[in-house]
Amino acid sequence: MAMQLDIHGHAAWAYTGGKAFNPTLPVVVFIHGAEHDHSVWALQSRYLAHHGRAVLAVDLPGHGRSAGAPLARIEALADWVVAVLDAAGVATATLVGHSMGSLIALECAARHPQRIAKLALVGTAFPMRVADELLNATRDDEPTAQQMVNLWSHSALAHYPGNPGPGFWVAGVNRRLMERQRAGVMHADFTACNDYSNGLEACRSIVAPVLLVLGKRDVMTPPRAAQDLIGALPNARVVQIEGAGHAIMAEKPDELLEALRAFVP
Amino acid sequence: MTPPRSPGFDTLSLHAGQQPDPTTGARATPIFQTAAYVFRDTDHAAALFNMERAGHVYSRISNPTTAVLEERIAALDGGVGAIATASGQAALHLAIATLAGAGSHVLASRALYGGSHNLLDYTLRRFGIDTTFVDPRNLSAWREAIRPNTRVLFAETLGNPGLDVLDIAGVAEIAHAAGLPLLVDGTFTTPYLLRPFDFGADLVCHSATKFLGGHGVAIGGLLVDSGAFDWERSGRFPELTEPYAGFHGMDFQEESTVAAFLLRARREGLRDFGACMAPFTAFQLLQGIETLSLRMDRHIANTRAIVGFLCEHKAVASVNYPELPTHPDHQLAKTMLPKGCGAVFTFEIQGGRAAGRKFIETLRLFSHLANVGDAKSLVIHPASTTHFRLDDAALRAAGIGPGTIRLSIGLEDSADLIDDLALALRASQKP
Ligand SMILES: Cc1ncc(COP(=O)(O)O)c(C=O)c1O
């Protein structure tokens, strides 16, 4: 089941976790990362939707089924998330963001503190600098850039229990999902991550409780790259997941769910 | 910058989908010989049933040993995932039953394994699924035979019996222009010789009974999804893009952008038809796949030696192997199959049915049986076995001559195989 919204004249699409969206329940918004769509959250979003929460796993502008061009700046994406809340009739929500989505969630909570109940940052880092080779490849040679990201996102050649279920090859799923995104999206996303400079400022305005979920074997956003954020968010809860790379939702779906279950209202 | 390297084929053959067992340390893939799995609590049970959590419930739907095989073939073929089935036939049936129903149409190559032909031309018609067969080399025939109710195009990478090399890119383009997926049977090539997804195919089925296992001890099939086909855009597959009452109203395409087909196939076809693979079979097939590239190289080297020998032999009227310039798909084979065109091929013996019979009966090392892709060399004479009811004219129509012999070349010393063939060829020509 899904929700279709009009945001600034463009169709925006969100998966509601297999349940009709009921804004009277605590709302959780899942925000995917670069060159991805809502389906990276399939398991976690479906679980919470069937456990007393109203879920919106969005496709960001230009990604998946959402129309329009990808937005160039994290700040604009943060405002877009609030526009989604407005359009869906939601007063306050918990945000769960992965990678680029974690920056969007952070900035959104800083700009609109009264709208955000809690904040979960998964596979996060600040600054989220992108190596020049990768950033250039996202512009000049998307297949190569996708190959780099896919290799760096996974910590192993085998995953239990498999995502979205047994019999799926996690790296293959991620590769095809990236290939499905429109040309130009990857460069826009990685540029937005690389350009975002307001992270530590944003932390100062955060009033909501914060959870960071980090993969111990993440080489894209390694735990040490989250240390500045952790320093600036003294009350944040930090969960490090053993044996997880950057693609925490796929590599360790149950461990991530446990962390979210204990945190999300 | 040189991009980081993805793990190579041999590494994936050994490691994809399996790590040392976390509880026992077992390095080999354990055989999880269990029908069912204990739930941690009622919430865990409900979440597994409703696909809120990934995991195993019942071994008809999934099993940890079988899942390793599924991930491994998906890695080798370059797909998103796979479903292991009881046989190659079951893999083909699962693919078609997921995409087509009564009133649908399948468009297939006419150069198919006999069992696949039976399924399409006789059995599925009883269930209201109609199939048109076309010459796989004739691209306009493919294009013209597509109907509004067509759901899938199907062919083998190397056709039976003529080893027609499928122009996958050409047929895939026709399929995609009509919003349809191309399903390819990759049994004869395995992902080591050819990865159909790299040429645009959308789904691959294998009889793992053959070269993937390589030992001729287990019957099994695999159905692999590239994850690249856009079911939503096609608009022809409500089974994947609309809520399914049979599984919690799930819209599979919404649930997963790239995994929709396999989710539906597992939650419907595998669940309800029940043609699952046994974990012991999955273990045996994994043992085979560990050495796939080594074996395929040897199969090809032996095949080339024997093809060379037969081409020079005066009791042989012709040899049909795509690496020979006389084969109609020689050029295509050069570009698509540089590592080799498999280890199954046919030749024509001088002297027709009688010579064929004599030849088979004289062979000692080659086993006379109805299979291919064993480590041991195999032989069959269609005119006196699988097609014995047909007269010469009917045989010709099926692309088979009275003196057609099919060989499946194994891993023995090629000199011994050639000695065996030489003796039998000589005997076949004696009055
Ligand atoms: C090309 C091809 N496809 C499919 C099959 C069917 O496989 P199985 O016997 O495993 O059901 C065979 C078996 O001979 C085959 O040769």
Side-chain angles (χ1 to χ4, degrees):
Chain A
M1 257 178 253
M3 183 177 268
Q4 187 103 35
L5 301 165
D6 184 289
I7 306 295
H8 312 314
H10 292 297
W13 190 93
Y15 170 69
T16 56
K19 293 268 270 197
F21 185 75
N22 174 0
T24 64
L25 296 173
V27 175
V28 184
V29 178
F30 287 90
I31 309 169
H32 63 78
E35 191 78 333
H36 277 161
D37 73 8
H38 70 281
S39 63
V40 295
W41 300 108
L43 293 171
Q44 296 83 14
S45 58
R46 189 172 176 84
Y47 181 94
L48 291 182
H50 285 82
H51 288 79
R53 283 79 161 195
V55 163
L56 293 174
V58 297
D59 282 353
L60 291 171
H63 298 68
R65 301 181 190 212
S66 286
L71 305 185
R73 300 197 60 80
I74 296 297
E75 290 82 353
L77 287 158
D79 290 342
W80 181 89
V81 169
V82 166
V84 167
L85 297 184
D86 291 342
V90 175
T92 61
T94 292
L95 303 184
V96 182
H98 175 243
S99 199
M100 175 179 80
S102 72
L103 299 182
I104 298 169
L106 175 71
E107 179 66 21
C108 185
R111 290 162 94 84
H112 308 279
Q114 70 289 359
R115 305 295 296 274
I116 306 308
K118 286 189 169 188
L119 188 59
L121 311 178
V122 181
T124 194
F126 181 81
M128 203 175 278
R129 265 200 209 104
V130 183
D132 284 346
E133 302 101 304
L134 175 56
L135 195 59
N136 292 340
T138 62
R139 182 191 59 215
D140 303 331
D141 181 1
E142 276 190 0
T144 296
Q146 288 165 352
Q147 190 186 329
M148 291 178 185
V149 169
N150 205 27
L151 277 166
W152 292 332
S153 291
H154 300 101
S155 66
L157 293 176
H159 298 94
Y160 185 85
N163 183 67
F168 284 98
W169 168 239
V170 161
V173 169
N174 190 51
R175 172 180 160 202
R176 292 296 183 210
L177 183 60
M178 291 194 287
E179 288 173 3
R180 285 287 187 99
Q181 306 312 316
R182 278 154 254 175
V185 165
M186 193 177 198
H187 188 59
D189 288 353
F190 279 82
T191 304
C193 293
N194 195 50
D195 288 354
Y196 180 60
S197 59
N198 197 46
L200 298 183
E201 283 295 307
C203 289
R204 269 190 231 132
S205 325
I206 304 287
V207 289
V210 182
L211 167 72
L212 284 85
V213 184
L214 309 174
K216 278 199 175 167
R217 297 171 71 176
D218 188 340
V219 296
M220 293 270 286
T221 53
R224 73 182 130 72
Q227 291 315 308
D228 287 355
L229 282 180
I230 293 169
L233 295 164
N235 298 320
R237 189 184 308 174
V238 180
V239 174
Q240 294 210 22
I241 297 188
E242 209 67 60
H246 189 57
I248 300 174
M249 300 84 82
E251 290 200 315
K252 293 287 169 192
D254 281 343
E255 290 80 352
L256 173 59
L257 178 61
E258 291 321 311
L260 292 177
R261 242 169 37 132
F263 177 74
V264 168
Chain B
M1 156 193 208
T2 44
R5 262 181 2 87
S6 302
F9 189 91
D10 292 345
T11 302
L12 294 174
S13 297
L14 289 155
H15 292 281
Q18 199 253 338
Q19 291 177 317
D21 187 65
T23 46
T24 61
R27 176 59 275 200
T29 304
I31 302 166
F32 289 99
Q33 192 70 43
T34 182
Y37 308 82
V38 176
F39 306 121
R40 293 205 290 270
D41 52 42
T42 49
D43 180 67
H44 182 236
L48 284 171
F49 271 98
N50 192 31
M51 251 181 69
E52 299 158 27
R53 286 180 186 271
H56 304 286
V57 170
Y58 188 65
S59 284
R60 174 162 28 87
I61 316 292
S62 67
N63 168 281
T65 308
T66 306
V68 172
L69 174 64
E70 291 165 341
E71 285 184 52
R72 189 156 306 171
I73 192 68
L76 294 175
D77 260 324
V80 295
I83 293 177
T85 55
S87 66
Q89 285 297 112
L92 175 60
H93 176 257
L94 180 59
I96 292 175
T98 302
L99 299 175
S104 324
H105 173 248
V106 174
L107 181 51
S109 158
R110 71 174 184 216
L112 295 180
Y113 162 62
S116 305
H117 187 271
N118 286 340
L119 174 66
L120 294 165
D121 204 16
Y122 302 102
T123 311
L124 287 180
R125 286 195 206 282
R126 275 207 316 113
F127 295 87
I129 297 173
D130 197 19
T131 297
T132 304
F133 295 95
V134 294
D135 172 357
R137 293 186 175 114
N138 185 345
L139 290 183
S140 50
W142 284 103
R143 193 178 294 110
E144 283 153 23
I146 291 175
R147 301 184 196 160
N149 61 339
T150 305
R151 288 293 171 270
V152 61
L153 279 61
F154 172 60
E156 293 174 2
T157 53
L158 288 171
N160 177 51
L163 294 188
D164 324 57
V165 179
L166 184 68
D167 176 1
I168 297 175
V171 180
E173 193 183 323
I174 291 165
H176 297 164
L180 295 171
L182 172 62
L183 167 68
V184 168
D185 180 329
T187 301
F188 276 29
T189 39
T190 81
Y192 179 66
L193 297 180
L194 179 69
R195 303 202 325 162
F197 299 153
D198 294 348
F199 294 86
D202 304 288
L203 301 164
V204 167
C205 59
H206 295 283
S207 170
T209 313
K210 310 296 180 325
F211 297 97
L212 289 173
H215 31 44
V217 304
I219 299 282
L222 292 161
L223 173 59
V224 194
D225 181 8
S226 75
F229 192 81
D230 191 336
W231 309 101
E232 189 76 31
R233 176 167 346 141
S234 159
R236 291 194 188 214
F237 298 95
E239 294 79 10
L240 299 177
T241 60
E242 286 174 17
Y244 172 41
F247 190 78
H248 315 294
M250 183 172 276
D251 175 331
F252 292 92
Q253 178 75 77
E254 260 182 27
E255 196 69 23
S256 174
T257 308
V258 300
F261 171 83
L262 287 174
L263 290 177
R264 172 87 185 207
R266 194 180 290 277
R267 298 290 162 176
E268 182 190 47
L270 197 63
R271 181 192 66 181
D272 299 349
F273 298 120
C276 59
M277 181 183 284
F280 185 52
T281 298
F283 172 82
Q284 290 169 315
L285 295 173
L286 282 164
Q287 293 306 106
I289 288 176
E290 289 197 349
T291 57
L292 180 61
S293 73
L294 299 172
R295 289 186 292 104
M296 290 313 286
D297 280 340
R298 178 66 172 270
H299 276 295
I300 298 288
N302 280 357
T303 300
R304 286 176 176 157
I306 287 162
V307 164
F309 163 77
L310 292 173
C311 285
E312 299 295 312
H313 202 287
K314 58 185 185 315
V316 173
S318 63
V319 181
N320 184 44
Y321 190 63
E323 287 191 355
L324 298 172
T326 47
H327 191 279
D329 299 321
H330 180 61
Q331 283 309 325
L332 197 56
K334 270 194 187 165
T335 57
M336 290 183 66
L337 291 156
K339 287 197 221 137
C341 296
V344 179
F345 68 95
T346 60
F347 70 94
E348 291 294 316
I349 198 165
Q350 304 277 14
R353 280 186 206 239
R357 236 178 268 129
K358 193 74 203 280
F359 171 78
I360 297 269
E361 282 164 10
T362 313
L363 285 167
R364 296 195 175 171
L365 209 43
F366 280 81
S367 305
H368 180 205
L369 52 72
N371 192 19
V372 296
D374 195 311
K376 301 173 184 77
S377 290
L378 316 174
V379 63
I380 201 158
H381 177 220
S384 65
T385 55
T386 50
H387 294 66
F388 81 97
R389 281 194 191 81
L390 305 188
D391 61 22
D392 285 4
L395 270 186
R396 291 264 174 235
I400 297 166
T404 297
I405 306 281
R406 187 184 73 188
L407 300 179
S408 173
I409 304 301
L411 306 177
E412 300 92 340
D413 294 85
S414 61
D416 295 335
L417 294 173
I418 287 172
D419 284 353
D420 198 31
L421 292 168
L423 214 66
L425 284 170
R426 192 170 336 128
S428 76
Q429 303 301 304
K430 294 204 177 125

